[in-house]
Amino acid sequence: MIGGLFIYNHKGEVLISRVYRDDIGRNAVDAFRVNVIHARQQVRSPVTNIARTSFFHVKRSNIWLAAVTKQNVNAAMVFEFLYKMCDVMAAYFGKISEENIKNNFVLIYELLDEILDFGYPQNSETGALKTFITQQGIKGQTKEEQSQITSQVTGQIGWRREGIKYRRNELFLDVLESVNLLMSPQGQVLSAHVSGRVVMKSYLSGMPECKFGMNDKIVIDKQGKGGAGDDAGKSGKQSIAIDDCTFHQCVRLSKFDSERSISFIPPDGEYELMRYRTTKDIILPFRVIPLVREVGRTKLEVKVVIKSNFKPSLLAQKIEVRIPTPLNTSGVQVICMKGKAKYKASENAIVWKIKRMAGMKESQISAEIELLPTNDKKKWARPPISMNFEVPFAPSGLKVRYLKVFESKLNYSDHDVIKWVRYIGRSGIYETRC
Amino acid sequence: MPAVSKGDGMRGLAVFISDIRNCKSKEAEIKRINKELANIRSKFKGDKALDGYSKKKYVCKLLFIFLLGHDIDFGHMEAVNLLSSNKYTEKQIGYLFISVLVNSNSELIRLINNAIKNDLSSRNPTFMCLALHCIANVGSREMAEAFAGEIPRILVAGDTMDSVKQSAALCLLRLYRTSPDLVLMGEWTSRVVHLLNDQHMGVVTAAISLITCLSQKNPEEFKTCVSLAVSRLSRIVSSASTDLQDYTYYFVPAPWLSCKLLRLLQCYPPPEDGAVKGRLVECLETILNKAQEPPKSKKVQHSNAKNAILFEAIALIIHYDSEPNLLVRACNQLGQFLQHRETNLRYLALESMCTLASSEFSHEAVKTHIETVINALKTERDVSVRQRAADLLYAMCDRSNAKQIVAEMLSYLETADYSIREEMVLKVAILAEKYAVDYSWYVDTILNLIRIAGDYVSEEVWYRVIQIVINRDDVQGYAAKTVFEALQAPACHENMVKVGGYILGEFGNLIAGDPRSSPLVQFNLLHSKFHLCSVPTRALLLSAYIKFINLFPETKPTIQEVLRCDSQIRNSDVELQQRAVEYLKLSSIASTDVLATVLEEMPPFPERESSILAKLKKKKGPGAVSGNELEEGKREGGELNGAGERPGDSSAIGASNAVRLHIPTHSLNYDIIYPPPPLFQSTPSPSADLLGLRSAAPVSAAPPSAGSLLVDVFSEAGPAAPAAGANDDGFLRFVCKNNGVLFENQLLQIGVKSEYRQNLGRMYLFYGNKTSVQFVNFTTTLKPVDPLVEGGAQVQQVINIECLTVFSDAPLLNIKFRYGGALQNLTLKLPVAINKFFQPTEMSSHDFFQRWKQLSQPQQEAQKIFKANHAMDTEVLKAKLLGLGTALLEKVDPNPDNFVCAGVIQTKAQQVGCLLRLEPNAQAQVHTHFPVRALGLESRPLGVSSVTTLSLCVSVVHHSFICNKCL
């Protein structure tokens, strides 16, 4: 079990130190700093063993979170906890930064007391935590309220309290995907996958029972066999194969296992309903065609064409193409048809930015790079061209088919609920070799 | 932002550095550096001409980036351009960049060398200095190749500025260290030596470093520097503190120079010229006097400088080791430092005293400080100082204070640092052994040692105590009583159980009268430890039990019961099981008389017998099955695997002192003079050394009783002490082979590799330090070797050998070194015998016998008939004869059993042809009941030679045959 949790800033100074077990000494804090943060060689492994003590760390911007234990713990559990901890902190005070952590240290200690007990993770659901750990002083709670909190925290549905009432029952569903790609210079896909999340914001009264449906291939095929043949036929390619997925704790897994239907009682407010990954039939929103020509020892000509590959009615946004330059670049001239391009010496790259671009269009940039002859015989490694963008559809092809809400006790039905669905596809690591 | 001086400041550089310092994270720093690099690249693009200032600035930035740990692969050209600038700052930055960043890059090196050459030939002293510094900083072989010829010229030229001379001397020193073969001093030598007379103190200081280094390599050439150094030293020492102005450091005149001068003098023996010597002694006295004066300043720098000179002076006094007066004064001075409140001084004083203690003049003087040293051992906080104190105690120990010192060391051992315990145990064991006058004291000490630090006590130590107890009747009862008491401790060390088991098994009867230590009590006491012991100890205990049955018949049922129980008689360990079974049967079948004979008390270990003979006797093979024999056999097994002999004892050394090796510096060959003592000395030693360690303290002063106490018994019973000493045996092993281990003890291993051609040979000696502590002042009588041998390191020495004429005695090799402060002295025979210079000759049967018959005059023939020690195996014999260096002629002798060989002994003076004939006689029976085979050998010289040659050959051959280790 987790013996202690430390938070350091980028210099290795301890911001938060909470020790849960006696087997973790004071020097553990320093051991991690010396051996990981200030290590001569950058430590890549997230798990470090120092003097029979294991340190599990994650890094958020400049902040190090390290969990310490002397026991043989389930490493996946520890990391899951650390990520949860990050989520909880982000939910309470926004971005995790040194400033924010210093300003909220009392809150963080309070949270740490609540979500870890003698090193065992407890309820870490933000919604539930917010009911009894608040940033605005302690409200005088009646006995009744206190007992309610107790029953809720220890009860079966720990993530939702009872008696929530909204005048307008509303529900927002975001499908957020990031598409990752590695492509050869000839346009051959070397690897590609989409990792997506379904994030839900629910403002529903009572204890509603929800059912979520999407174009999961297994479900569609089953239905197709079941008799609703025309439905499946109409959707054609519309179904997608999900490689793997995880759900929020509110989802009834037994039901998913048996019927592959996703039913749950949602927490109040924002939460992540599911996470998934697909590798087949990915719609690649952009195609990058590089052309690099070395002219003698001191000159390099680069031409890059990007083509958008989606419906012309849709608009991609925040497009950024990053073309790496050799380490001995001494000057760059860039010409581009659209957007703005600039040589950024500090990053050794040409950065080309386009605000907006419609589907089925193409654009091009050409650059002349002057090189300084060096006595170093090493050849330039030609790192891949990377790209960032945002598109208003799901590159995996996922579609939300329905989200039904049933609340038997209160008198509102599925039709009364206002539902919003949004798809956002972003680039993950989207690279093309040149 | 760092302050920058106005005229010369590089604002851009300062801004850049402060930017880097302000970076919040590593990533930010890398970004900033990338940006700067891109900027510099665009500036260095080549189409624009940069002025010197910007070039300097950007090169500086590159240097800074490089020092931050980033690769720099451009800008070299610009840096080289800076070298040709006329501005000092630009040139300086250029040189700086080159000495930091340029590796042996071919095209640039040429340009750089050109620039350096220009600067060296310029008249500007600062430029010359910069160039010299660059050469020294780079110090590569290329640099040495290019400039090694030029720098000595600059150094000795009359018109060179003093500052340039200084730099040139140090630069030359650097080049000499990297590639000594390229720096040829030859013609410059005398002029370099005369730099010691230079007006400028800085030049002298720089030159003396160079001279010290050079004179270590070839002392002869620089011999003249001694008198110059002495006069210089006396001038400094006698000067008032204000005379030297700039070179006076906190009221001490030229401390660095003085130290260096004293160190230089340590490379040479005391000056032979009386006047010079007188002057030097006067200097040393002045230095010692000055140490007594009250300090002129309270600053620590003043006392540091003063003490530095003092310690160097003391080191020189110790090095000379010829002025009793000075030695004693030095010792008294050090005695004062022993109580100084500064730890470093105490450490240094102890260290110097260690070396002083081994000098015969100051030994007594050192001894007066024993109380202080003991106090240091007890109260000192710093472990390294405690270790030095222990070393010093060891070094100052002699017969008069041995008891006190051993007692102190023992009591210290209880609290000693783990890192030095092993060494301490060894020291205590050696001292106790060496200076034992009273056996009960010796026994007490060693048992205490085992009790306190059992884990660190090696096998030899407890073997030794048992041997001594067995050999001395008067101590046996006392020993039995003591071990009995020691065993009563609830937790005692396994080594203690071993000693206890052995001694009670032998002499338990001596204390059986006391009802508190009745036989049964003794047995129960021993048996209570049985289960906690390892297998070898259990085996020993089983033997002790069967001895108990003999000593005390009343314990028989109990012991039989123990032997009969399943854990013994069905033990999974074969050795234990066998012992249990055999002893059980022996005790039940044999009658009391038989039992008494079989289990008789161990005979005393042979005392005055050479180890070789003792070993020969033992080789009679597995004999009667008695408990003792079993144990003996076990030990013997270990012994046979290469235990050796003690080093040639002191009398032997004395006898063969007439044999000397003369090694002229230039022609590396020896003249071997040969007085005719017998080839092998088997004189008994007056005082054997337990672990092959010899101290410089006079041993021969030991009274005879002690001498007989400490006999050479090690070779008998020390299975774990491979070659506890010397090398008669080691030497024999080398008669028929050229490579192997010549000598090995606990400290040192000497390996030999040799090759011979005609009358010339080359021998590689490898001195391996087996300890973890370094040996200092390591010297051999042959050629100078590196005086420091690190722990676990190996030093190699090459000797060229030329056989001038026929010789009988092997040359001796004397090795001296200090281990933990004590002087170790070893004398070994180099494995060079006459047969090494055999040149094999092939000849036909006809030729052989024709010549054989021609050589029939008495002085042309030698013959020896001796008994073979082993069954003769034809293959083994052949291998031995081939190893002898002669040609083995097959199918020459009509009798197939005989072996004939022919060879020519090559010496510088003459060549001696030899014919050998070995006639084994397998049938001959001698009147003992052992089957003994005799073999005969004949040898006839072809040329004219004396009989001694022949008998020499024969004896070499003979010995190579009686020693089975030759192969």
Side-chain angles (χ1 to χ4, degrees):
Chain A
M1 291 306 105
I2 296 170
L5 197 132
F6 306 125
I7 300 179
Y8 302 83
N9 66 6
H10 72 281
K11 289 183 203 147
E13 291 162 348
V14 187
L15 303 177
I16 301 285
S17 149
R18 180 74 174 86
V19 174
Y20 294 95
R21 285 168 177 252
D22 293 337
D23 55 358
I24 302 301
R26 287 279 130 200
N27 49 3
V29 192
D30 299 322
F32 181 76
R33 175 180 37 241
V34 171
N35 291 297
V36 180
I37 302 181
H38 291 165
R40 200 165 282 246
Q41 232 114 47
Q42 194 195 348
V43 175
R44 291 244 174 88
S45 159
V47 184
T48 319
N49 242 302
I50 307 160
R52 319 182 103 219
T53 310
S54 309
F55 292 83
F56 305 77
H57 76 262
V58 297
K59 209 178 164 196
R60 283 288 145 98
S61 62
N62 272 334
I63 297 296
W64 300 75
L65 263 87
V68 197
T69 182
K70 280 224 162 176
Q71 282 160 309
N72 186 12
V73 295
N74 180 347
M77 184 276 283
V78 177
F79 282 111
E80 184 61 33
F81 170 76
L82 285 176
Y83 289 131
K84 258 271 142 49
M85 177 74 205
C86 291
D87 289 347
V88 169
M89 286 198 290
Y92 269 93
F93 49 78
K95 196 172 165 268
I96 299 176
S97 66
E98 184 175 352
E99 179 92 0
N100 277 344
I101 288 178
K102 279 182 177 166
N103 290 340
N104 292 289
F105 74 94
V106 179
L107 171 75
I108 294 173
Y109 277 117
E110 214 173 327
L111 285 171
L112 284 175
D113 280 344
E114 193 55 43
I115 59 179
L116 266 185
D117 184 11
F118 194 50
Y120 293 97
Q122 307 293 309
N123 191 350
S124 53
E125 197 53 49
T126 320
L129 284 171
K130 276 192 170 165
T131 60
F132 48 88
I133 296 179
T134 58
Q135 278 159 294
Q136 295 86 29
I138 298 166
K139 279 180 263 162
Q141 284 169 328
T142 60
K143 265 243 168 77
E144 218 166 68
E145 278 172 325
Q146 275 176 359
S147 69
Q148 201 191 342
I149 286 172
T150 314
S151 73
Q152 192 232 315
V153 170
T154 53
Q156 208 177 14
I157 304 167
W159 56 88
R160 189 180 180 94
R161 68 194 162 87
E162 279 186 57
I164 299 170
K165 276 222 172 73
Y166 286 101
R167 208 154 51 83
R168 229 154 79 111
N169 290 307
E170 228 171 348
L171 191 141
F172 300 85
L173 207 58
D174 285 351
V175 178
L176 306 171
E177 293 194 340
S178 71
V179 52
N180 300 282
L181 168 77
L182 182 64
M183 195 178 250
S184 75
Q186 288 77 32
Q188 198 182 352
V189 176
L190 300 174
S191 83
H193 73 270
V194 170
S195 57
R197 310 188 297 143
V198 178
V199 176
M200 190 168 163
K201 237 185 246 177
S202 68
Y203 302 107
L204 301 170
S205 313
M207 292 293 253
E209 174 81 35
C210 298
K211 206 171 170 195
F212 175 68
M214 57 180 177
N215 55 346
D216 180 3
K217 197 171 180 202
I218 299 171
V219 179
I220 303 281
D221 286 359
K222 213 195 282 174
Q223 281 174 351
K225 267 181 214 155
D230 54 318
D231 190 26
K234 212 163 43 185
S235 55
K237 172 235 162 264
Q238 300 297 322
S239 61
I240 60 159
I242 290 175
D243 285 15
D244 41 42
C245 53
T246 56
F247 294 101
H248 187 265
Q249 59 166 330
C250 65
V251 174
R252 293 195 185 85
L253 289 179
S254 56
K255 223 160 188 184
F256 179 76
D257 286 342
S258 57
E259 303 164 27
R260 216 163 161 93
S261 73
I262 302 163
S263 67
F264 53 96
I265 296 171
D268 198 36
E270 187 173 345
Y271 69 101
E272 186 184 286
L273 177 65
M274 75 178 283
R275 216 182 263 213
Y276 59 89
R277 203 173 73 95
T278 67
T279 49
K280 285 201 191 77
D281 299 327
I282 293 166
I283 307 156
L284 296 173
F286 286 95
R287 169 86 207 276
V288 178
I289 305 154
L291 206 82
V292 180
R293 202 158 65 91
E294 280 175 50
V295 189
R297 269 189 76 196
T298 58
K299 211 167 162 194
L300 201 68
E301 279 181 5
V302 182
K303 205 165 123 182
V304 177
V305 180
I306 58 168
K307 283 183 180 169
S308 58
N309 181 27
F310 46 88
K311 270 189 245 163
S313 56
L314 299 175
L315 271 182
Q317 281 181 311
K318 297 178 192 165
I319 301 153
E320 187 186 284
V321 182
R322 184 176 287 266
I323 305 160
T325 55
L327 292 175
N328 55 346
T329 305
S330 62
V332 178
Q333 273 93 46
V334 203
I335 310 160
C336 59
M337 303 185 332
K338 221 175 161 201
K340 280 179 191 160
K342 206 179 161 192
Y343 167 57
K344 285 203 172 167
S346 59
E347 287 150 52
N348 280 325
I350 298 166
V351 180
W352 176 26
K353 283 181 178 167
I354 304 169
K355 279 201 181 121
R356 238 172 251 109
M357 192 167 170
M360 305 316 257
K361 287 263 168 54
E362 75 172 59
S363 188
Q364 146 177 341
I365 183 174
S366 57
E368 256 178 38
I369 300 171
E370 282 173 78
L371 304 177
L372 190 76
T374 62
N375 37 29
D376 208 9
K377 297 291 178 290
K378 263 185 286 171
K379 241 190 141 229
W380 180 45
R382 290 202 185 194
I385 295 170
S386 62
M387 194 176 172
N388 291 316
F389 54 80
E390 204 177 292
V391 289
F393 63 90
S396 67
L398 181 126
K399 289 262 161 29
V400 177
R401 285 170 60 220
Y402 56 81
L403 199 143
K404 292 174 190 150
V405 181
F406 311 97
E407 170 52 89
S408 45
K409 284 185 194 144
L410 299 167
N411 52 353
Y412 71 92
S413 71
D414 188 31
H415 304 290
D416 302 329
V417 180
I418 308 162
K419 300 169 192 164
W420 307 85
V421 181
R422 180 164 69 159
Y423 299 92
I424 300 173
R426 291 203 182 90
S427 58
I429 298 166
Y430 202 83
E431 292 178 332
T432 308
R433 288 189 184 156
C434 63
Chain B
M1 189 185 294
V4 177
S5 69
K6 267 182 287 169
D8 198 31
M10 288 175 279
R11 204 178 138 72
L13 178 67
V15 169
F16 172 59
I17 292 176
S18 72
D19 275 3
I20 294 273
R21 297 216 168 126
N22 290 336
C23 280
K24 278 264 167 16
S25 64
K26 193 147 185 145
E27 290 73 28
E29 187 184 307
I30 289 172
K31 274 191 174 172
R32 181 71 185 87
I33 286 170
N34 279 338
K35 195 173 153 199
E36 195 59 45
L37 282 175
N39 177 33
I40 299 172
R41 279 195 300 262
S42 70
K43 289 288 195 293
F44 281 176
K45 223 181 323 184
D47 43 0
K48 286 169 270 179
L50 280 176
D51 59 344
Y53 168 78
S54 354
K55 246 186 227 167
K56 178 179 75 173
K57 184 175 77 183
Y58 293 127
V59 166
C60 262
K61 283 183 179 177
L62 284 180
L63 202 52
F64 183 74
I65 293 170
F66 177 75
L67 295 179
L68 284 175
H70 300 266
D71 277 340
I72 298 294
D73 52 4
F74 65 99
H76 300 75
M77 205 52 221
E78 282 71 16
V80 173
N81 286 344
L82 280 178
L83 294 185
S84 51
S85 159
N86 272 329
K87 277 195 190 141
Y88 171 75
T89 50
E90 287 167 20
K91 215 183 244 302
Q92 180 202 23
I93 296 293
Y95 274 124
L96 184 61
F97 186 89
I98 281 159
S99 27
V100 173
L101 261 160
V102 170
N103 36 25
S104 41
N105 181 319
S106 58
E107 42 186 319
L108 275 176
I109 280 286
R110 204 168 38 81
L111 288 171
I112 293 167
N113 284 356
N114 247 336
I116 292 177
K117 259 198 189 108
N118 284 340
D119 278 342
L120 283 183
S121 55
S122 79
R123 304 265 96 210
N124 188 332
T126 41
F127 289 179
M128 288 175 88
C129 279
L130 279 177
L132 287 168
H133 294 170
C134 179
I135 297 171
N137 280 336
V138 176
S140 63
R141 210 172 159 77
E142 289 80 12
M143 284 285 180
E145 272 164 9
F147 300 108
E150 198 154 346
I151 295 168
R153 203 149 35 81
I154 295 172
L155 179 59
V156 297
D159 56 346
T160 315
M161 297 271 291
D162 287 337
S163 58
V164 179
K165 272 189 190 170
Q166 248 172 300
S167 301
L170 293 175
C171 179
L172 196 58
L173 174 61
R174 167 69 207 248
L175 292 186
Y176 184 75
R177 280 183 183 152
T178 45
S179 27
D181 51 320
L182 291 176
V183 182
L184 302 168
M185 288 313 289
E187 46 197 305
W188 312 114
T189 307
S190 65
R191 302 182 68 179
V192 169
V193 169
H194 277 280
L195 283 176
L196 286 178
N197 276 336
D198 202 287
Q199 297 285 312
H200 193 263
M201 295 287 270
V203 175
V204 184
T205 315
I208 201 159
S209 297
L210 176 65
I211 294 170
T212 309
C213 182
L214 290 171
S215 63
Q216 272 164 355
K217 291 273 152 69
N218 25 1
E220 279 305 311
E221 280 181 58
F222 286 88
K223 219 170 181 174
T224 44
C225 71
V226 173
S227 59
L228 289 178
V230 169
S231 66
R232 187 91 218 186
L233 181 66
S234 83
R235 260 181 285 156
I236 295 169
V237 169
S238 57
S239 68
S241 57
T242 48
D243 285 0
L244 294 167
Q245 291 164 356
D246 285 354
Y247 288 88
T248 301
Y249 177 80
Y250 289 88
F251 306 104
V252 183
W256 281 276
L257 183 52
S258 314
C259 284
K260 284 182 175 180
L261 283 167
L262 288 164
R263 211 168 280 173
L264 172 63
L265 290 173
Q266 284 174 45
C267 301
Y268 288 95
E272 280 144 26
D273 183 358
V276 175
K277 189 166 186 187
R279 213 163 167 197
L280 178 57
V281 168
E282 203 176 297
C283 282
L284 294 172
E285 269 169 356
T286 319
I287 292 170
L288 288 173
N289 285 341
K290 274 192 182 171
Q292 296 296 334
E293 285 169 16
K296 292 198 179 90
S297 158
K298 278 193 176 144
K299 287 258 171 61
V300 68
Q301 288 95 331
H302 171 70
S303 58
N304 277 350
K306 221 164 94 175
N307 292 335
I309 299 178
L310 181 62
F311 276 112
E312 277 308 329
I314 290 175
L316 182 64
I317 293 170
I318 296 169
H319 171 74
Y320 284 167
D321 199 12
S322 59
E323 299 286 332
N325 175 30
L326 284 177
L327 281 165
V328 170
R329 282 196 63 185
C331 183
N332 293 340
Q333 184 58 49
L334 291 177
Q336 286 179 19
F337 285 145
L338 284 184
Q339 278 157 326
H340 204 276
R341 63 192 159 76
E342 201 155 327
T343 317
N344 287 339
L345 268 184
R346 290 199 300 272
Y347 180 93
L348 289 168
L350 287 167
E351 200 182 27
S352 303
M353 267 209 177
C354 263
T355 44
L356 267 178
S358 52
S359 161
E360 53 176 318
F361 300 115
S362 52
H363 187 74
E364 287 303 317
V366 171
K367 267 166 66 185
T368 55
H369 300 291
I370 184 164
E371 291 303 330
T372 327
V373 179
I374 288 171
N375 203 29
L377 189 64
K378 279 179 186 158
T379 57
E380 187 59 59
R381 237 186 282 151
D382 190 320
V383 63
S384 60
V385 181
R386 284 203 301 271
Q387 164 131 38
R388 287 292 144 247
D391 284 349
L392 178 54
L393 276 184
Y394 175 68
M396 69 161 70
C397 187
D398 64 9
R399 192 154 305 283
S400 63
N401 55 13
K403 271 196 182 178
Q404 186 190 4
I405 285 178
V406 168
E408 289 300 341
M409 284 176 105
L410 267 180
S411 69
Y412 171 59
L413 198 55
E414 287 183 68
T415 52
D417 226 59
Y418 289 100
S419 52
I420 61 170
R421 276 199 184 180
E422 191 172 354
E423 204 188 320
M424 291 285 295
V425 166
L426 213 61
K427 283 179 171 161
V428 171
I430 293 167
L431 291 180
E433 158 116 28
K434 197 176 344 181
Y435 300 116
V437 272
D438 175 6
Y439 318 107
S440 53
W441 175 73
Y442 175 75
V443 170
D444 272 346
T445 307
I446 299 296
L447 288 184
N448 250 336
L449 193 64
I450 295 173
R451 188 175 53 77
I452 294 167
D455 285 338
Y456 301 90
V457 173
S458 53
E459 302 270 277
E460 293 85 343
V461 175
W462 73 264
Y463 289 164
R464 193 78 182 108
V465 75
I466 285 174
Q467 286 166 17
I468 285 170
V469 168
I470 287 184
N471 284 11
R472 305 296 314 184
D473 301 340
D474 43 349
V475 79
Q476 288 164 354
Y478 177 77
K481 191 160 157 278
T482 323
V483 290
F484 179 75
E485 276 158 14
L487 279 176
Q488 269 164 341
C492 58
H493 193 266
E494 195 164 333
N495 281 341
M496 183 68 92
V497 179
K498 288 179 185 166
V499 177
Y502 201 105
I503 289 183
L504 290 182
E506 293 291 333
F507 310 114
N509 54 338
L510 299 178
I511 55 167
D514 191 331
R516 279 168 299 171
S517 54
S518 69
L520 220 52
V521 175
Q522 285 183 35
F523 172 73
N524 286 336
L525 183 61
L526 274 183
H527 198 57
S528 67
K529 314 284 182 200
F530 187 88
H531 304 280
L532 303 169
C533 295
S534 62
V535 169
T537 313
R538 289 186 185 196
L540 190 149
L541 284 178
L542 287 180
S543 298
Y545 295 169
I546 188 74
K547 289 218 149 195
F548 265 55
I549 295 186
N550 176 39
L551 289 177
F552 319 113
E554 67 267 34
T555 59
K556 189 171 170 177
T558 325
I559 292 174
Q560 279 184 334
E561 193 56 41
V562 168
L563 290 176
R564 202 177 289 129
C565 84
D566 274 358
S567 63
Q568 310 297 1
I569 211 152
R570 297 206 180 137
N571 197 300
S572 59
D573 188 272
V574 177
E575 177 68 39
L576 290 182
Q577 195 185 85
Q578 185 178 357
R579 283 188 188 217
V581 172
E582 286 176 1
Y583 291 162
L584 185 61
K585 272 280 169 259
L586 183 69
S587 67
S588 48
I589 291 170
S591 70
T592 336
D593 296 349
V594 174
L595 214 56
T597 326
V598 171
L599 301 171
E600 205 182 352
E601 197 174 294
M602 286 290 282
F605 287 86
E607 297 197 10
R608 287 188 165 266
E609 192 172 40
S610 153
S611 314
I612 285 193
L613 292 178
K615 206 182 309 170
L616 288 179
K617 272 188 197 161
K618 274 190 177 179
K619 301 243 166 75
K620 56 194 176 207
V625 186
S626 80
N628 302 335
E629 281 289 329
L630 274 178
E631 255 177 57
E632 275 271 270
K634 274 189 77 139
R635 291 180 181 178
E636 210 171 74
E639 172 102 56
L640 288 172
N641 294 332
E645 257 232 287
R646 294 185 328 86
D649 49 55
S650 46
S651 62
I653 294 168
S656 39
N657 265 347
V659 182
R660 262 181 212 292
L661 301 178
H662 298 284
I663 311 169
T665 329
H666 300 293
S667 61
L668 294 163
N669 53 357
Y670 334 74
D671 308 272
I672 297 169
I673 313 163
Y674 50 98
L679 197 60
F680 299 102
Q681 303 267 355
S682 50
T683 333
S685 60
S687 154
D689 200 326
L690 171 61
L691 302 164
L693 296 168
R694 288 183 169 275
S695 142
V699 193
S700 48
S705 68
S708 58
L709 163 68
L710 302 165
V711 285
D712 169 23
V713 278
F714 231 132
S715 51
E716 300 271 322
N727 71 336
D728 265 4
D729 185 30
F731 177 78
L732 275 184
R733 238 179 285 170
F734 283 93
V735 169
C736 292
K737 62 178 191 174
N738 286 333
N739 305 330
V741 175
L742 175 64
F743 170 81
E744 184 166 7
N745 68 10
Q746 303 222 322
L747 304 175
L748 183 71
Q749 187 188 45
I750 304 177
V752 171
K753 240 171 126 174
S754 50
E755 55 200 23
Y756 297 89
R757 257 190 80 229
Q758 300 193 326
N759 66 330
L760 298 176
R762 174 170 295 164
M763 186 179 289
Y764 296 85
L765 289 166
F766 301 90
Y767 304 102
N769 182 350
K770 287 168 74 184
T771 65
S772 52
V773 189
Q774 65 178 22
F775 295 160
V776 291
N777 294 352
F778 190 89
T779 52
T780 68
T781 40
L782 300 174
K783 282 200 283 181
V785 282
D786 191 356
L788 273 189
V789 185
E790 293 297 333
Q794 203 183 51
V795 177
Q796 187 187 341
Q797 194 178 30
V798 188
I799 315 170
N800 290 320
I801 299 169
E802 183 179 2
C803 180
L804 298 177
T805 179
V806 177
F807 64 97
S808 66
D809 248 20
L812 291 186
L813 166 69
N814 183 267
I815 299 160
K816 283 184 190 164
F817 58 92
R818 283 180 189 283
Y819 164 67
L823 186 71
Q824 312 287 337
N825 193 339
L826 274 175
T827 303
L828 303 173
K829 272 184 190 155
L830 278 182
V832 187
I834 189 74
N835 69 305
K836 296 290 180 197
F837 305 98
F838 255 127
Q839 190 88 343
T841 321
E842 291 292 340
M843 54 178 71
S844 69
S845 172
H846 176 73
D847 287 348
F848 182 87
F849 284 103
Q850 194 174 11
R851 294 188 189 189
W852 185 266
K853 280 169 193 142
Q854 280 168 4
L855 301 165
S856 50
Q857 286 158 22
Q859 75 271 26
Q860 285 179 322
E861 184 181 24
Q863 181 167 339
K864 187 148 190 166
I865 297 168
F866 52 89
K867 288 174 187 170
N869 296 305
H870 332 287
M872 274 179 295
D873 181 347
T874 321
E875 286 312 308
V876 174
L877 280 177
K878 272 187 187 167
K880 277 189 182 182
L881 286 169
L882 279 175
L884 206 56
T886 53
L888 181 63
L889 305 176
E890 306 237 25
K891 294 179 185 146
V892 167
D893 200 297
N895 181 352
D897 286 344
N898 289 358
F899 299 92
V900 294
C901 309
V904 182
I905 294 175
Q906 306 265 0
T907 71
K908 197 183 174 199
Q910 62 189 130
Q911 296 191 339
V912 185
C914 283
L915 301 178
L916 296 160
R917 198 158 159 210
L918 181 68
E919 297 168 357
N921 184 349
Q923 279 77 44
Q925 295 277 329
V926 191
H927 60 273
T928 58
H929 65 277
F930 294 109
V932 175
R933 292 146 204 184
L935 44 93
L937 177 102
E938 279 176 284
S939 162
R940 298 170 184 223
L942 280 172
V944 186
S945 179
S946 64
V947 178
T948 44
T949 319
L950 286 171
S951 50
L952 263 177
C953 279
V954 173
S955 78
V956 167
V957 173
H958 171 199
H959 282 292
S960 76
F961 278 91
I962 56 175
C963 172
N964 72 329
K965 301 254 177 72
C966 294
L967 292 171

